[in-house]
Amino acid sequence: MSTEKIDDSAEWLTRFRNVHPTAAARDHDPKFGRVFVRGAGARLWDVAGNDYIDLTCGYSAANFGQSFPPLIEAANRQLQTLTHLTGEPHVGRIALAERLLDAFDWPRESSQVMFNTTGARAIETAWKAATAFRPGKIVTLGPAFHGRSLATLPLGHTQPLAPLGLLDEHILCGASAEYPYCAACPLQLHYPDCDLQCVSQVLTMISDRAPEISAVLVEPAIGARGMIVPPAELFQRLCRIARQHGILLIADEIQTGLGRFGHLSLAKGQGWQPDLLVLGKSLGGGLVPISAVLGRSDVLECLVVGSESETFAASPLATAVASEVLEQLTCGPWIERGASAGEKLRAFTRKLLQQHDSAASSIVEGQGACCVIEFGSQAAPRARRFAEACVGQHLLPQLTGPELTRVALMPPLTINEEELSVTCSRLQLAFADCMDFEAELP
Ligand code: PLP
């Protein structure tokens, strides 16, 4: 049977379920139910030929959209030259490492770079180096997400893997609520008057137990679990405690870095400097898997010889694409253009909310190329309905947040005016649909 001829998503999904365990079905994801065959820029096409505007970019892995020509050209050039080496030095790898340090303002004489293929593996590399430099536990904060490998899964404490014994013995997780989720503050306080009371307990814990702590691992904004940007003051306080006790700070910028939040590095935009900075996802431009840890040489040099290597890490193809990603981000207009698209979406959705009395408890947040509609606590059904209505209008948003009350719209940085205007028209229709539904709510 020729697979290309089937133009029915349902039939493909049956075949999908036959060959994958249930765990592969992401039922929280409103995209579920469509099977895609093609993409160009901000658009994706399903097997039936319907086109969608992608407002997820693969959790910010494809920040340049699909098949961005400069990246395709860089990949094609490299494919004619040198495709694979495992571990051997090659010029593309060296040039990318130097370029990363320069772009992120890490001094070459005291900083180094390690490469991996995935975000989870890069987090493990940073974790290994941190504990080799300063033995102890790793602390994670809030509703964090740092990967799904056996080691990184328990770092996002909502899915502990107790049998591994990593939790408690090697990991200290701040509770999910101990994080500035200001739009749904569990203490019902307001920043800055609240004085960040939500984190006072976890910060005190870090101070009190400092001798047993190696590092604090933190996302400058919560990515996969809500696109929540905390007040920068959180990091100033963390830095003070970490510096006082010699604890290392690791910034997981796998999702926040490389332009999504209006900066190459969101941590830098917030005015703080980690000891190790982890990049992934969009570093490969949505074409190739590549991740990196930038960090203090004295910390990275503590990695035990032979403790870190991957067959496909920093392959010539991956480094060629990543170098072009950096070139585009540092010399092109994309971070500003993405931020401007985000601002337009925020302004438009704010206007839509104002037109509907029943949306009084909803607010619009976000930064850079990210627009988030927070429907408010207790409003998960409404948020889901809106996300589904978006899919019905051929927009692909991300239903997210600790209680799934948030709908994030994250266009490619390259989205053009026409695609943005189509997005706004479709959002308007999705809102109307969502508000009709609210009339039916008890
Ligand atoms: N850290 C953050 C903040 C992420 O968003 C992700 C993936 O979504 C990861 C780590 C894990 O990256 P990967 O899926 O490439 O292992």
Side-chain angles (χ1 to χ4, degrees):
M1 180 173 54
S2 163
T3 51
E4 279 69 31
K5 291 213 175 94
I6 302 171
D7 61 2
D8 179 354
S9 277
E11 198 168 334
W12 277 104
L13 285 172
T14 306
R15 288 170 60 180
F16 173 86
R17 290 193 190 98
N18 286 343
V19 291
H20 289 89
T22 312
R26 314 227 317 263
D27 65 358
H28 66 277
D29 191 335
K31 293 197 296 297
F32 194 68
R34 305 297 195 276
V35 176
F36 297 99
V37 279
R38 194 160 69 83
R43 288 183 198 262
L44 291 174
W45 280 264
D46 71 10
V47 287
N50 302 306
D51 83 285
Y52 297 78
I53 303 241
D54 181 11
L55 302 172
T56 67
C57 295
Y59 288 81
S60 293
N63 280 348
F64 286 100
Q66 302 290 323
S67 306
F68 185 52
L71 303 185
I72 302 291
E73 283 156 25
N76 278 338
R77 275 195 307 273
Q78 189 60 42
L79 285 169
Q80 312 297 323
T81 320
L82 176 69
T83 50
H84 185 78
L85 291 167
T86 293
E88 299 299 325
H90 60 85
V91 293
R93 174 188 181 133
I94 298 160
L96 175 62
E98 290 174 350
R99 195 165 205 163
L100 276 167
L101 293 176
D102 294 349
F104 283 79
D105 284 332
W106 286 68
R108 282 197 201 181
E109 57 284 4
S110 56
S111 321
Q112 290 174 339
V113 182
M114 281 289 293
F115 289 110
N116 285 99
T117 51
T118 66
R121 286 291 287 106
I123 292 289
E124 289 176 359
T125 296
W127 185 358
K128 279 181 208 172
T131 49
F133 178 83
R134 178 182 160 98
K137 297 180 185 183
I138 189 158
V139 176
T140 60
L141 285 191
F145 179 78
H146 299 290
R148 287 185 212 271
S149 65
L150 274 178
T152 56
L153 194 57
L155 293 170
H157 64 102
T158 52
Q159 300 187 25
L161 265 188
L164 280 182
L166 282 171
L167 275 172
D168 297 332
E169 203 173 318
H170 299 286
I171 302 169
L172 293 171
C173 293
S176 182
E178 290 178 303
Y179 191 85
Y181 178 11
C182 300
C185 176
L187 305 174
Q188 301 191 328
L189 298 171
H190 297 281
Y191 183 79
D193 297 343
C194 64
D195 197 29
L196 288 179
Q197 276 184 46
C198 56
V199 287
S200 66
Q201 218 171 320
V202 74
L203 295 184
T204 305
M205 184 276 284
I206 294 170
S207 279
D208 290 350
R209 297 179 66 173
E212 58 181 301
I213 294 171
S214 164
V216 176
L217 167 64
V218 65
E219 291 174 84
I222 296 293
R225 297 224 161 109
M227 306 309 279
I228 301 165
V229 187
E233 190 186 342
L234 167 66
F235 302 102
Q236 271 109 48
R237 290 197 187 184
L238 256 181
C239 284
R240 264 201 305 276
I241 296 170
R243 302 296 170 243
Q244 188 184 346
H245 297 282
I247 295 170
L248 296 170
L249 284 179
I250 307 172
D252 179 345
E253 292 238 38
I254 288 166
Q255 200 159 149
T256 60
L258 302 167
R260 175 55 61 193
F261 284 90
H263 299 275
L264 202 57
S265 157
L266 179 56
K268 188 154 191 244
Q270 291 165 330
W272 64 286
Q273 170 76 14
D275 300 290
L276 299 170
L277 182 142
V278 188
L279 297 171
K281 290 195 182 284
S282 192
L283 186 57
L287 264 69
V288 289
I290 181 166
S291 54
V293 182
L294 279 63
R296 281 170 42 187
S297 303
D298 56 340
V299 178
L300 287 176
E301 286 289 2
C302 289
L303 279 166
V304 177
V305 174
S307 67
E308 194 43 65
S309 164
E310 275 189 285
T311 301
F312 284 96
S315 76
L317 180 59
T319 52
V321 173
S323 274
E324 187 61 34
V325 165
L326 273 189
E327 171 78 15
Q328 292 294 325
L329 287 175
T330 51
C331 302
W334 306 116
I335 297 184
E336 294 75 20
R337 289 228 188 136
S340 151
E343 188 46 47
K344 281 183 188 154
L345 287 176
R346 290 190 289 275
F348 187 77
T349 45
R350 261 186 208 116
K351 233 172 41 206
L352 285 180
L353 287 180
Q354 279 159 12
Q355 289 161 11
H356 295 277
D357 291 345
S358 49
S361 63
S362 309
I363 57 164
V364 174
E365 311 184 311
Q367 183 178 324
C370 176
C371 167
V372 181
I373 301 152
E374 164 71 61
F375 283 83
S377 54
Q378 319 293 319
R382 193 180 307 162
R384 176 170 289 277
R385 173 67 181 212
F386 176 62
E388 285 167 359
C390 284
V391 178
Q393 295 300 333
H394 293 194
L395 297 174
L396 302 176
Q398 193 167 301
L399 180 59
T400 187
E403 304 298 332
L404 295 183
T405 56
R406 295 164 77 76
V407 176
L409 312 174
M410 293 176 289
L413 308 179
T414 50
I415 191 167
N416 62 35
E417 286 301 322
E418 189 261 335
E419 290 161 336
L420 208 50
S421 130
V422 171
T423 300
C424 290
S425 317
R426 293 182 184 179
L427 279 173
Q428 187 154 18
L429 294 170
F431 251 96
D433 185 20
C434 174
M435 294 305 146
D436 286 350
F437 163 77
E438 279 184 71
E440 297 160 21
L441 281 173

